[in-house]
């Protein structure tokens, strides 16, 4: 059976479509389906809706898939294209609807364009029938045990939740905290709710999510609709929790009884009873664990995607005998034992040197010799030639007598410097070792590099990445008088690591040795350019780092090097994009400042934390005015007498011509100036008021040049905690150094 999967990002194991990739897409593949991926988000953004639909139509005509499976979002599929697929092609169309609890009206608008309607909300079937739709089938969310399974770990958390934040979930967590119950939360969109900022951390990778599930006594399901907290909903996470053998607490919803025996396999409660229910099961370990075990067994026996899809297609077969040949499926007899992310322990210390080369005939000879002449010689050397047009391939072939070298060639994809992630993930795929020593094709290893880095991994089995300092050289191997860092990064301290990485990339990519298994836990490299910087930022909260504070690599700079800072503006643009994206999708203020929870006054600490973050947005040489302003507003949500933030908001609005708004903030500054005792910067704040008043009196904008950014106070509990972590200030304005292959 050939299935065209028309869905957002299901072809990618990471990103917004990861849930669909790990569940529906992989579930279809386990049934023997051949998948044709079509990410309509990506295609519509790239080509526009009309052109993307034309491309889809051509694929339907050429590939002739048996099934067109549409995971609908909005209006991505044009009606005329849907009509062609359903009525004028040999392909059978299926519409998958996952939000009929609250979006049934939208579903009804589209249902008539497909051969079959698939809904996960069983009461909706009668409504479809009332509107004349007969080919309607029920297919509930499920789990994929290949990706969701128990992890061996100690119980670390009383109560946890991993997932997106929205009103019903905010209220539930806040209610538990107010009842004195310790709750840990990870996910997106929680920072918008100020009362929870001191407990919420950012999104976590899949592997860490599984660990959290197993390390929690109770996980919250919080199965309410995002649009209306009063409407309960069956979420896919309910079945994923079950597959992880964790005790979960759901909101009351009668339909859950169709899948689990309530009270014995699954526990539900109302919002009003959530604190009492949590306390009861925290106090009754044996009962809690028995329920988790029963839910686990029921889930694996009945609620996997193999069960769901085999049942769905059997319904389709029984509904129409003409489809029997088209929908032939292979149902596995048992649950796949293989789980992703597991490492063969026999390969734990095997080393693979990995390098991608493109038109480096002048430098690659020195690079290869430096690798082959290592004092530690037990490694494989993966050399991927990315379609070189000079003599690079021939030079590599001259060394293939050494059996450690494995030479691969492909058509060029990296010439534009916008395929770093694909190149690096390809190298990981080709390598067989678990310790990956990254090497730049134009760089040179010191003879003891591998020996010293492997020693670090043997000394600390929990280590994820080891890197070193570098010596810079030019195209003629002359040493350059420059350095990557003044102080070794291990001086930053664990709590300061995320914010220091966010400030600048201190890791020279060609000096890194990384565990393959660790990279895979982070879902690999994900950005086309500066992918190493993106990876270090994403993993800073989870990886164990070791730095060897001596040069182990000669790091080359030359006119054609992809590591030249600000080459073609790519570094500046990509660093900005990475920072923007990760700040919104991955990090919260608590990730940057775990010191917040070491302070007695959490609100005061949050105010100063946001003020420190605003310092970065002010100092960095990118156009971040809007983000700076929003960060200052967040700080004021925790301190109504925030003099520094009032002054900074006024300054920012004044220099951007927003005089009315600037006057509002300077008025607040003046009104609060005498309400705050022991002001560190009082003279400077008064000076700012005088400068602005001069501007109002004269209308001379030149006087605004005297306004300055008011930095965070230094004599506070929060400032002391920062200093203990390794650095008084959050950020500076050092340039970003991006590693390269």
């Amino acid at each position: 059976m050939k299935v065209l999967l028309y869905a957002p990002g299901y072809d990618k194991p990471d990103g917004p479509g990861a849930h669909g990739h790990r569940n529906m897409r992989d579930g279809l593949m386990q049934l023997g389906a051949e998948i044709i991926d079509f990410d309509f988000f990506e295609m519509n953004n790239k080509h526009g809706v009309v052109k993307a639909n034309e491309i889809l139509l051509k694929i339907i005509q050429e590939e002739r898939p048996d099934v067109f499976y549409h995971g609908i979002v909005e209006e991505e599929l044009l009606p005329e294209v849907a009509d062609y697929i359903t009525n004028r092609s040999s392909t059978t169309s299926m519409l998958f609807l996952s939000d009929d609890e609250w979006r049934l009206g939208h579903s009804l608008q589209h249902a008539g364009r497909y051969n079959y309607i698939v809904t996960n909300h069983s009461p909706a079937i009668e409504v479809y029938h009332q509107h004349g739709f007969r080919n309607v089938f029920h297919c509930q969310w499920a789990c994929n045990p290949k990706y969701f399974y128990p992890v061996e770990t100690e119980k670390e958390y009383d109560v946890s939740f991993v997932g997106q934040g929205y009103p019903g979930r905010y209220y539930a967590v806040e209610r538990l905290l107010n009842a004195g119950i310790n709750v840990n939360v990870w996910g997106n969109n929680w920072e918008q709710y100020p009362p929870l900022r001191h407990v919420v951390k950012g999104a976590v990778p899949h592997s860490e999510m599984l660990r959290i599930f197993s390390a929690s006594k109770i996980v919250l399901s919080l199965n309410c609709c995002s649009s209306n907290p009063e409407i309960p909903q069956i979420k896919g996470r309910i079945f994923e929790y079950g597959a992880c053998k964790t005790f979960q607490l759901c909101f009351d919803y009668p339909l859950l009884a169709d899948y689990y025996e309530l009270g014995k396999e699954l526990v539900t409660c109302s919002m009003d009873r959530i604190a009492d229910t949590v306390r009861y099961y925290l106090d009754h370990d044996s009962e809690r664990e028995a329920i988790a075990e029963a839910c686990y067994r029921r889930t694996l026996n009945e609620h996997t995607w193999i069960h769901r899809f085999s049942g769905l297609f059997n319904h389709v077969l029984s509904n129409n005998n003409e489809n029997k040949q088209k929908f032939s499926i292979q149902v596995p007899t048992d649950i796949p034992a293989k789980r992703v992310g597991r490492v063969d322990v026999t390969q734990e210390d095997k080393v693979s040197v990995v390098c991608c080369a493109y038109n480096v005939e002048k430098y690659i000879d020195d690079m290869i010799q430096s690798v082959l002449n290592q004092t530690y010689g037990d490694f494989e050397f993966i050399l991927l030639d990315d379609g070189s047009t000079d003599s690079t391939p021939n030079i590599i072939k001259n060394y293939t007598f050494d059996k450690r070298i494995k030479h691969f060639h492909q058509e060029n994809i990296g010439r534009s410097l916008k395929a770093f992630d694909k190149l690096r993930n390809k190298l990981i795929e080709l390598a067989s070792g678990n310790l990956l020593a990254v090497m730049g094709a134009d760089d040179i290893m010191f003879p003891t590099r591998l020996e010293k880095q492997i020693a670090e991994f043997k000394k600390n089995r929990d280590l994820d990445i080891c890197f070193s300092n570098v010596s810079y050289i030019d195209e003629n191997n002359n040493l350059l008088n420059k350095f990557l860092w003044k102080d070794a990064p291990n001086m930053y301290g664990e709590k300061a690591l995320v914010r220091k990485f966010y400030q600048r990339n201190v890791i020279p990519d060609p000096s890194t040795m990384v565990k393959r298994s660790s990279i895979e836990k982070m879902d690999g490299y994900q950005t086309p350019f500066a992918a190493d910087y993106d990876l270090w930022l994403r993993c800073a909260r989870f990886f164990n780092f070791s730095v060897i504070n001596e040069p182990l690599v000669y790091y080359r700079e030359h006119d054609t090097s992809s590591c030249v800072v600000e080459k073609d503006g790519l570094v500046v643009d990509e660093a900005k994009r990475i920072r923007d994206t990760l700040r919104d999708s991955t990090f919260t203020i608590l990730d940057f400042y775990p010191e917040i929870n070491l302070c007695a006054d959490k609100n005061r600490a949050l105010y100063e934390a946001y003020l420190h973050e605003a310092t970065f947005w002010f100092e960095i040489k990118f156009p971040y005015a809007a983000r700076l302003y929003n960060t200052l507003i967040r700080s004021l949500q925790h301190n109504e007498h925030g003099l520094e933030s009032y002054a900074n908001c006024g300054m920012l609005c004044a220099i951007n011509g927003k005089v009315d708004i600037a006057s509002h903030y300077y008025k607040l500054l003046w009104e609060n100036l005498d309400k705050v005792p022991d002001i560190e910067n009082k003279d400077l704040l008064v000076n700012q008021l005088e400068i602005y008043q001069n501007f109002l009196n004269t209308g001379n904008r030149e006087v605004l040049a005297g306004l300055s950014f008011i930095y965070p106070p230094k004599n506070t509990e929060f400032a002391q905690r920062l200093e203990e972590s390794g650095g008084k200030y959050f950020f500076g304005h050092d340039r970003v150094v991006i590693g390269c292959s």
Side-chain angles (χ1 to χ4, degrees):
M1 180 173 65
K2 186 186 293 187
V3 179
L4 193 153
L5 202 53
Y6 188 68
Y10 282 21
D11 57 324
K12 302 174 184 66
D14 54 77
H19 180 269
H21 178 92
R22 294 181 176 126
N23 286 285
M24 284 171 275
R25 185 182 189 277
D26 195 77
L28 286 167
M29 292 182 68
Q30 289 182 42
L31 289 172
E34 175 188 346
I35 302 296
I36 303 171
D37 292 300
F38 196 102
D39 180 350
F40 55 69
F41 274 179
E42 181 178 285
M43 295 297 287
N44 289 355
N45 288 335
K46 183 177 181 180
H47 301 287
V49 174
V50 174
K51 180 63 177 178
N53 273 255
E54 291 175 357
I55 295 171
L56 170 66
L57 198 57
K58 185 176 181 181
I59 293 173
I60 292 287
Q61 293 168 341
E62 293 179 354
E63 295 292 334
R64 299 171 64 85
D66 299 306
V67 178
F68 174 77
Y69 192 91
H70 183 187
I72 192 169
V73 177
E74 290 295 345
E75 315 299 324
E76 56 272 357
L77 184 64
L78 296 178
E80 57 269 28
V81 176
D83 176 72
Y84 175 86
I85 296 171
T86 299
N87 299 312
R88 290 183 286 151
S89 77
S90 60
T91 299
T92 297
S93 59
M94 286 186 175
L95 176 64
F96 182 75
L97 301 160
S98 60
D99 289 312
D100 277 349
E101 290 93 338
W102 61 277
R103 214 163 74 127
L104 186 53
H106 177 269
S107 301
L108 289 168
Q109 293 175 21
H110 295 269
R113 300 169 185 163
Y114 299 81
N115 296 120
Y116 296 99
I117 303 162
V118 182
T119 179
N120 69 343
H121 186 51
S122 54
I125 294 177
E126 183 178 351
V127 180
Y128 286 113
H129 288 170
Q130 290 172 357
H131 284 77
F133 302 117
R134 293 298 169 188
N135 288 342
V136 184
F137 299 99
H138 180 235
C139 182
Q140 187 51 266
W141 291 114
C143 71
N144 185 348
K146 194 170 89 173
Y147 286 94
F148 293 91
Y149 48 84
V151 175
E152 293 183 9
T153 186
E154 298 296 322
K155 295 297 184 186
E156 181 179 347
Y157 312 109
D158 284 344
V159 184
S160 71
F161 178 77
V162 181
Q164 185 179 8
Y166 44 78
R169 293 174 171 179
Y170 299 153
Y171 309 150
V173 172
E174 187 174 21
R175 184 180 288 259
L176 290 172
L177 291 172
N178 291 340
I181 295 170
N182 183 27
V183 185
N184 294 270
V185 179
W186 295 262
N188 301 328
N189 212 40
W190 288 86
E191 205 171 355
Q192 296 185 25
Y193 194 63
L196 299 181
R197 286 175 180 163
H198 66 291
V199 299
V200 176
K201 296 182 180 180
V204 296
H206 185 76
S207 59
E208 177 64 9
M209 180 178 69
L210 296 184
R211 189 199 68 80
I212 291 170
F213 290 169
S214 293
S216 302
K217 295 178 182 178
I218 296 175
V219 292
L220 301 173
S221 189
L222 303 183
N223 52 307
C224 56
C225 291
S226 58
S227 61
N228 187 340
E230 300 298 322
I231 300 178
Q233 192 173 22
I234 294 181
K235 301 282 189 180
R237 183 57 54 82
I238 292 171
F239 304 103
E240 293 165 359
Y241 281 151
C244 293
K245 202 193 296 189
T246 187
F247 178 91
Q248 61 177 306
L249 181 60
C250 300
F251 288 133
D252 290 332
Y253 192 26
L255 291 181
L256 286 170
D258 294 341
Y259 306 96
Y260 296 103
E261 186 176 354
L262 301 185
K264 293 185 177 181
E265 296 174 330
L266 189 72
V267 174
T268 68
C269 69
S270 65
M271 179 75 82
D272 291 339
R273 292 283 301 163
I274 190 169
D276 290 339
T277 307
V278 165
R279 284 198 191 96
Y280 175 86
Y281 284 103
L282 285 177
D283 291 339
H284 293 78
D285 293 348
S286 298
E287 184 177 355
R288 186 184 69 239
E289 291 167 6
I291 291 172
E293 175 69 29
C295 183
Y296 173 67
R297 294 183 180 279
R298 180 78 177 267
T299 300
L300 295 190
N301 287 332
E302 297 182 18
H303 302 314
T304 72
W305 281 106
I306 289 176
H307 293 111
R308 294 287 189 264
F309 280 138
S310 59
L312 171 64
F313 288 113
N314 282 333
H315 276 304
V316 173
L317 285 170
S318 64
N319 188 65
N320 189 340
N321 289 329
E322 295 179 2
N323 289 323
K324 286 185 178 180
Q325 183 64 36
K326 179 184 292 187
F327 296 151
S328 60
I329 56 176
Q330 305 167 21
V331 181
T333 57
D334 55 8
I335 302 298
K338 182 180 178 182
R339 293 169 176 172
V340 298
R342 298 298 180 91
V343 179
D344 183 352
V345 294
T346 64
Q347 301 295 312
E348 186 176 0
D349 290 330
K350 183 174 180 179
V351 177
S352 297
V353 179
V354 294
C355 178
C356 181
Y358 174 71
N359 285 358
V360 283
E361 60 184 3
K362 183 176 180 179
Y363 309 111
I364 195 166
D365 192 74
D366 286 346
M367 185 275 294
I368 293 175
Q369 289 188 41
S370 76
V371 175
L372 298 181
N373 292 331
Q374 289 291 296
T375 55
Y376 180 91
D378 185 15
F379 58 84
E380 68 173 2
F381 187 6
I382 305 297
L383 266 168
L384 175 62
D385 174 39
D386 186 35
S388 295
T389 57
D390 63 1
S391 61
T392 296
N394 293 329
I395 296 173
I396 295 174
K397 289 177 183 177
N398 290 336
Y399 287 94
T400 53
F401 66 87
D402 191 314
K403 299 306 179 184
R404 292 175 296 181
I405 292 181
K406 297 179 180 178
H407 178 206
F408 301 90
H409 176 85
Q410 67 179 20
E411 293 299 315
N412 180 270
I413 63 171
R415 186 181 305 145
S416 66
L417 305 181
K418 294 184 178 180
F420 190 112
D421 53 340
K422 293 183 176 64
L423 290 170
R424 187 57 59 82
N425 290 330
K426 180 67 174 180
L427 286 171
I428 295 173
E429 179 185 326
L430 294 171
S432 61
N434 188 42
L435 296 179
L436 306 179
V438 177
M439 192 58 190
D442 49 3
D443 301 319
I444 299 173
M445 282 189 186
F446 281 41
T448 58
R449 175 194 165 179
L450 296 184
E451 178 184 346
K452 291 184 175 182
Q453 290 187 313
I454 291 166
E456 291 292 309
F457 280 94
K458 289 186 175 181
K459 183 170 62 177
N460 180 4
R461 288 298 182 182
D462 293 327
L463 186 62
D464 296 288
I465 172 173
C466 176
F467 63 100
S468 75
N469 212 329
V470 298
S471 292
Y472 284 86
I473 57 175
D474 65 14
E475 60 183 3
N476 297 314
N477 290 352
N478 297 312
L479 282 171
L480 301 175
N481 185 25
K482 62 185 299 184
F483 50 83
L484 183 58
W485 61 68
K486 295 180 181 179
D487 300 314
N490 59 353
M491 299 300 293
Y492 293 159
E494 181 181 355
K495 290 185 175 64
L497 198 59
V498 172
R499 57 182 181 260
K500 287 297 183 180
F501 280 4
Y502 204 79
Q503 172 187 341
R504 64 185 292 240
N505 186 3
V506 298
I507 301 180
D509 186 57
S511 80
T512 58
M513 181 177 283
V514 193
K515 276 184 182 174
R516 171 204 192 101
S517 54
S518 300
I519 295 176
E520 290 174 344
K521 286 178 182 177
M522 298 303 300
D523 298 324
Y525 293 87
Q526 295 182 8
T527 57
F529 186 69
D532 55 331
Y533 183 44
D534 171 79
L535 177 62
W536 310 144
L537 280 171
R538 287 187 289 113
C539 72
R541 293 175 294 160
F542 312 109
F543 276 18
N544 293 311
F545 292 79
S546 174
V547 56
I548 299 175
N549 194 23
E550 63 176 284
L552 293 181
V553 172
Y554 289 110
Y555 193 57
R556 193 185 304 274
E557 285 193 356
H558 53 91
D559 290 342
T560 60
S561 170
S562 63
C563 62
V564 175
V565 175
E566 299 186 21
K567 178 179 176 63
D568 298 328
L570 282 174
V571 169
V572 172
D573 293 343
E574 191 65 5
K576 180 182 185 300
R577 189 199 64 78
I578 289 170
R579 285 189 176 113
D580 271 340
T581 300
L582 294 183
R583 183 61 184 94
D584 294 332
S585 68
T586 303
F587 298 129
T588 68
I589 196 67
L590 194 59
D591 292 313
F592 285 131
Y593 288 108
E595 295 90 348
I596 290 168
N597 279 330
L598 299 177
C599 297
D601 187 341
K602 299 293 191 296
N603 258 328
R604 177 70 194 185
L606 282 161
Y607 168 72
E608 292 185 38
Y610 280 115
L611 187 55
H612 273 269
E613 183 185 356
T615 301
F616 170 66
W617 300 121
F618 172 74
E619 289 186 342
I620 198 166
K621 299 174 183 178
F622 295 148
Y624 279 122
R627 190 173 287 276
L628 167 59
Y629 180 76
N630 290 333
T631 303
L632 291 168
I633 294 301
R634 284 184 171 181
S635 74
L636 289 168
Q637 291 169 340
H638 298 279
N639 184 3
E640 63 179 355
H641 304 302
L643 304 180
E644 297 89 354
S645 290
Y646 284 141
N648 290 331
C649 283
M651 178 270 296
L652 185 63
C653 293
I655 63 177
N656 283 282
K658 308 292 185 181
V659 177
D660 290 344
I661 303 175
S663 297
H664 167 73
Y665 286 113
Y666 281 119
K667 180 182 178 183
L668 290 171
L669 173 60
W670 172 256
E671 292 173 349
N672 284 277
L673 201 56
D674 293 329
K675 297 178 182 179
V676 180
D678 303 322
I679 304 172
E680 288 184 26
N681 301 314
K682 186 168 184 177
D683 291 343
L684 183 56
L685 291 166
V686 171
N687 176 254
Q688 301 296 288
L689 286 169
E690 292 172 348
I691 291 172
Y692 187 69
Q693 187 61 50
N694 185 14
F695 160 69
L696 292 180
N697 292 338
T698 65
N700 181 9
R701 290 190 57 83
E702 292 182 1
V703 303
L704 295 177
L707 295 175
S708 61
F709 189 88
I710 308 299
Y711 286 84
K714 300 180 181 180
N715 300 317
T716 65
E717 181 187 15
F718 182 70
Q720 177 62 34
R721 296 298 187 185
L722 287 188
E723 188 167 6
E724 293 169 358
S725 299
K728 297 180 182 179
Y729 300 104
F730 185 174
F731 294 121
H733 54 270
D734 301 65
R735 70 191 178 102
V736 177
V737 179
I738 302 296
C740 61
S741 60

